[in-house]
Amino acid sequence: MKVFSFDAETNGLYGQAFMLAAIVTVDGEKVDEFVARCPIAETVDDWVQDNVLPQVESVEVTDSSYGEMLDAFYAFYMSHKDDAVIIAHMAFPVEAKVLRDMIEVNLDKRGWDGPFPLIDVSAVLQAKGFDPTSVDGYNKNHGIEIPFGGTTHHPLFDSWAAEVCYRDLMTA
């Protein structure tokens, strides 16, 4: 099973993304990863200042703007989407907005490039009788370790947490 798992960090729940990460795995083995960061264009949300920025302070800015970061993510996404299950955990509103923005950069060219379907791991958790709001809780309760040294609110950690949770749910 090829899985493309991604996560974004935004400046507030409905704000613009300033960091994106994704991993691509085949049968649980990492094939590739993506991490990008751009400057936060607006006043930093208090919750983001307290809960997200401390988790990502070591990640350097890779792109000068949100649009540049979206283009880099689009290139990575397109190079891996074929035959992949595209997943995110609790994809609305954050990851859904990123995908929409990524496509709308050039709607004529990218209009059919979205993930069809986008699998939200929260729905899989709920369907299997678990708390849909927490891949971290599921992973902890099932003794599943995250193969990344970060923590929640680092998008690479969150991408891995969703991937290992989803794979466990689908193979259990």
Side-chain angles (χ1 to χ4, degrees), residues 104-118:
E104 287 181 340
V105 164
N106 186 343
L107 192 56
D108 289 339
K109 180 182 177 203
R110 299 179 180 183
W112 293 100
D113 291 337
F116 305 116
L118 171 61

Side-chain angles (χ1 to χ4, degrees), residues 10 12 25 37 46 48 58 67 83 89 120 134 147 157-158 168 172:
T10 56
T25 62
R37 184 172 181 175
D46 290 341
V48 171
S58 65
D83 302 322
H89 179 245
D120 193 322
S134 180
F157 178 90
D158 292 343
D168 190 73

Side-chain angles (χ1 to χ4, degrees), residues 1 3 9 13 16 23 25 34 64-65 67 72 74 81 83 85 95 99 102 123 125 131 142 152 156 162-163 169 172:
M1 174 171 51
V3 176
E9 298 302 329
L13 191 56
Q16 187 168 281
I23 56 157
T25 62
F34 174 89
S64 63
S65 68
Y74 177 76
K81 79 172 219 151
D83 302 322
V85 177
E95 288 76 23
L99 291 172
M102 177 185 80
L125 283 163
D131 175 6
H142 290 83
T152 299
L156 196 53
E163 191 278 344
L169 287 163

Side-chain angles (χ1 to χ4, degrees), residues 3-8 21 85-92 94-96 99 115 117-125 132 135 158-159 161-163 166:
V3 176
F4 182 105
S5 178
F6 77 103
D7 186 74
V85 177
I86 314 295
I87 69 167
H89 179 245
M90 294 181 56
F92 179 84
V94 172
E95 288 76 23
L99 291 172
L118 171 61
I119 305 298
D120 193 322
V121 179
S122 64
V124 180
L125 283 163
V135 292
D158 292 343
S159 295
E163 191 278 344
Y166 177 76

Side-chain angles (χ1 to χ4, degrees), residues 52-73:
V52 178
L53 293 182
Q55 307 309 322
V56 298
E57 65 187 3
S58 65
V59 180
E60 298 291 327
V61 170
T62 58
D63 299 286
S64 63
S65 68
Y66 179 61
E68 190 177 291
M69 184 175 70
L70 284 178
D71 283 343
F73 182 66

